[in-house]
Amino acid sequence: MSYCFGIDIGGTTVKCGLFTTEGELLEKWEIKTRTEENGKAILPDVAETILKKMEEKGIAKADVIGVGVGVPGPVVKEREVQVAVNLHWGRTMLADVLEELLGQIPVKVGNDANVAALGEMWKGAGHGEKNMVMVTLGTGVGGGVIMGGRPLIGANGAGGEIGHICVNYFEEKCCGCGKKGCLEQYASATGVVRLAKRYMADNDD
C-alpha cells in the first residue's frame, strides 16, 4: 500500500493526517506550533512527528509517495513560502528544508486555504465542482479560489488571500502583514479576541 501525509501548519497547532493515496484518512493528530524564535522549530517538529508515525505504523520510506503541506501565506512553485506572518517566517524554501529533514521524501507546499479548497473539491463539500470559493477561519483568515478545477495562485502566490483585503481604512493598528485594516484583524480568532479586549477596555466602568 502507498501512503501520503497531509500537514496543515497553523498559527496555533500543526494538524497532521496519514492517508492512502486514494484519499482515505487513516489517522489524524496534531502538535503545537512553536512560533518562538521566528518559528525555527516548526519544520523540525513536523519532520519528527512524521518520522515517528512512520515508525509507529511500520511504514517504509519507499511506501510514502510524498508529503503535502499547507501554510498560511503565499506560496510559489509549490516549494517556496514568500511570507507567513502568523508563523513569524519570511521567505522560506520550505520544501527543500523539509525534504532534507525527511531523508528526501518528496514535499509539495501550497497556501493552506488553496489546498483546503482542493481537498473539498476532491473529497468534500465541493465534490464534483470545478469552480468554488472556500474561506478558512482560524488564527488568521484565508481564502481559496478554484477556477476550472485549479487553484487561483496569482503571480506571487497570493491569489485568493482575502484575509488581507482592507475593510477599514481608519484602522490605526497594524495587521501582522504590516498593513492596516485587513479583514483578518476583525474576522479571525486573533481579531475577535483583539476586538473583545478593546471593547472591554473602552467600557471598563
Side-chain angles (χ1 to χ4, degrees):
M1 182 181 291
S2 295
Y3 303 90
C4 55
F5 288 88
I7 306 295
D8 174 28
I9 303 179
T12 305
T13 61
V14 179
K15 295 178 175 61
C16 312
L18 171 63
F19 297 84
T20 67
T21 51
E22 287 73 38
E24 179 187 358
L25 175 63
L26 301 176
E27 188 169 342
K28 62 180 178 179
W29 71 102
E30 61 183 53
I31 60 174
K32 186 179 186 301
T33 305
R34 295 197 288 156
T35 57
E36 59 272 15
E37 297 184 75
N38 294 322
K40 72 177 186 180
I42 296 173
L43 293 182
D45 287 350
V46 169
E48 180 182 18
T49 196
I50 290 173
L51 293 172
K52 279 185 176 179
K53 188 60 62 176
M54 289 170 60
E55 181 179 2
E56 175 191 323
K57 298 295 185 181
I59 298 173
K61 189 182 297 184
D63 292 329
V64 179
I65 67 160
V67 177
V69 183
V71 294
V75 176
V76 296
K77 298 180 179 178
E78 298 182 333
R79 300 191 69 78
E80 178 185 345
V81 178
Q82 299 290 288
V83 63
V85 294
N86 291 327
L87 306 180
H88 307 296
W89 283 350
R91 179 176 176 270
T92 304
M93 299 302 293
L94 192 154
D96 293 351
V97 174
L98 194 53
E99 282 178 351
E100 184 175 350
L101 291 169
L102 291 171
Q104 301 309 313
I105 293 174
V107 174
K108 288 191 179 293
V109 187
N111 171 266
D112 54 1
N114 286 345
V115 297
L118 283 172
E120 289 296 331
M121 181 181 72
W122 183 32
K123 293 289 185 179
H127 182 68
E129 300 296 330
K130 296 299 181 184
N131 300 286
M132 54 177 281
V133 176
M134 179 173 182
V135 178
T136 60
L137 300 174
T139 306
V141 174
V145 180
I146 304 294
M147 298 179 65
R150 300 180 65 85
L152 178 65
I153 303 297
N156 297 302
E161 280 283 9
I162 63 171
H164 298 287
I165 294 172
C166 183
V167 296
N168 181 5
Y169 292 98
F170 302 101
E171 177 61 62
E172 296 179 354
K173 298 290 186 181
C174 280
C175 176
C177 72
K179 298 179 181 179
K180 296 179 180 179
C182 295
L183 176 63
E184 185 167 295
Q185 289 183 273
Y186 311 99
S188 67
T190 308
V192 170
V193 170
R194 181 181 74 91
L195 292 178
K197 287 181 177 178
R198 188 167 73 182
Y199 177 83
M200 288 188 291
D202 291 345
N203 294 274
D204 187 18
D205 54 9

